[in-house]
Amino acid sequence: MSRSPLISMHGIVKRFGGVTALENVDLEAYAGEVLAIVGDNGAGKSTLIKILTGVYQPTEGSIKLDGAEFKMANHSDAIAAGIDAVYQNLAIADHLTPPENLFLGAELTKSFLGFPVLDNARMRQEAERVLSERLGVKLKSMDVLTESLSGGQRQAVAIARAVYHTGLRVLVMDEPTAALGPQETARTLKLIKTLREQGLAIILISHSLDDVFDVSDRIQVMRRGQRVGTVDTKDTDNAEVLGMIVGASAAA
């Protein structure tokens, strides 16, 4: 792990009218690690990652990327800087094929009789390549509708879309194993480990402490809009983390 965080957040405050959703929250994520963020519903996890990915603007506080101050006006700025997210609902189109989902809004074209047309063959090849090389996943067919894929395969397509751009450096994963069976969960956790090995900073939001302890390097606990502690996964256990979540421990 690098000594300096790839991305960090300092003193983040977020208010929605008179409601304070985040109060003076810090976060540090390193290249080649999985940082898990845990906490009960309403702890501030989703608000924090939406600020990290440019969806929300902080009321106060700052973000640094590679040690330099970094400001985002929107999610597109985050993507341009190599920061993206895969959310629980995946935001993929079931009526499209995996390659069509991978290139949705950024379709590859070729010239035919002087006119641009979709280069379906190249998009299929690129989709196969990124799924295989980056994620170790091979689908039986690239021509089926995404709705026919298993939950884990759909997850792989969503991740592949995020990692296709070679500049991706920070990937936020929001409840990636929710509603998956044991086998699909195991495959998804393997995908997370594969991406970590490729040097990405992975930020994992999960209610499953079993998953968190399986793949994470550090665990950040949120409660009532504040960071109440960050611990090395290897140095803690389920009981300690649960205690921090519910407020039975004042670990820092």
Side-chain angles (χ1 to χ4, degrees):
M1 185 189 304
S2 170
R3 291 183 178 273
S4 300
L6 172 57
I7 192 164
S8 58
M9 307 174 78
H10 305 276
I12 297 295
V13 175
K14 181 61 178 177
R15 299 187 184 96
F16 296 97
V19 177
T20 299
L22 295 173
E23 183 63 52
N24 198 34
V25 176
D26 294 346
L27 176 147
E28 303 84 27
Y30 297 82
E33 79 151 2
V34 177
L35 171 68
I37 302 180
V38 300
D40 285 335
N41 290 333
K45 306 184 301 296
S46 294
T47 302
L48 186 65
I49 64 170
K50 285 179 179 177
I51 291 174
L52 181 69
T53 54
V55 177
Y56 290 161
Q57 306 302 308
T59 306
E60 298 176 20
S62 63
I63 299 174
K64 290 185 177 180
L65 184 65
D66 291 321
E69 188 107 358
F70 177 60
K71 293 184 181 294
M72 293 173 279
N74 49 48
H75 183 51
S76 296
D77 287 349
I79 294 175
I83 305 165
D84 205 351
V86 174
Y87 293 101
Q88 182 177 343
N89 61 12
L90 298 184
I92 56 178
D94 286 339
H95 64 287
L96 299 179
T97 65
E100 289 170 340
N101 264 296
L102 198 68
F103 290 96
L104 185 61
E107 289 81 3
L108 302 180
T109 61
K110 61 183 178 181
S111 179
F112 181 74
L113 299 178
F115 296 96
V117 296
L118 292 178
D119 193 341
N120 291 310
R122 186 176 165 215
M123 286 190 284
R124 186 181 299 109
Q125 291 170 355
E126 283 294 282
E128 287 179 344
R129 182 187 65 79
V130 70
L131 281 165
S132 175
E133 292 182 4
R134 297 297 302 272
L135 301 178
V137 172
K138 184 172 178 61
L139 302 180
K140 289 185 177 180
S141 173
M142 302 298 287
D143 298 318
V144 299
L145 298 184
T146 305
E147 66 183 0
S148 71
L149 301 178
S150 69
Q153 289 171 332
R154 286 160 51 83
Q155 186 75 245
V157 171
I159 296 172
R161 184 170 62 187
V163 304
Y164 177 72
H165 303 287
T166 56
L168 184 70
R169 306 176 69 197
V170 180
L171 179 62
V172 175
M173 303 192 70
D174 184 17
E175 300 288 353
T177 61
L180 296 184
Q183 289 187 334
E184 295 296 316
T185 292
R187 292 190 183 102
T188 297
L189 296 179
K190 183 179 178 182
L191 294 181
I192 294 172
K193 294 174 183 177
T194 297
L195 294 172
R196 174 177 60 190
E197 291 168 1
Q198 294 173 11
L200 270 67
I202 309 292
I203 299 175
L204 170 68
I205 315 300
S206 180
H207 279 97
S208 171
L209 289 185
D210 287 342
D211 294 353
V212 165
F213 275 92
D214 188 332
V215 300
S216 72
D217 298 285
R218 292 185 302 124
I219 303 170
Q220 175 162 325
V221 181
M222 302 283 295
R223 187 173 73 249
R224 297 179 182 176
Q226 296 181 313
R227 176 170 82 167
V228 296
T230 302
V231 292
D232 289 339
T233 306
K234 62 180 175 54
D235 295 331
T236 189
D237 58 26
N238 199 298
E240 181 184 18
V241 172
L242 277 174
M244 295 167 70
I245 290 173
V246 301
S249 169

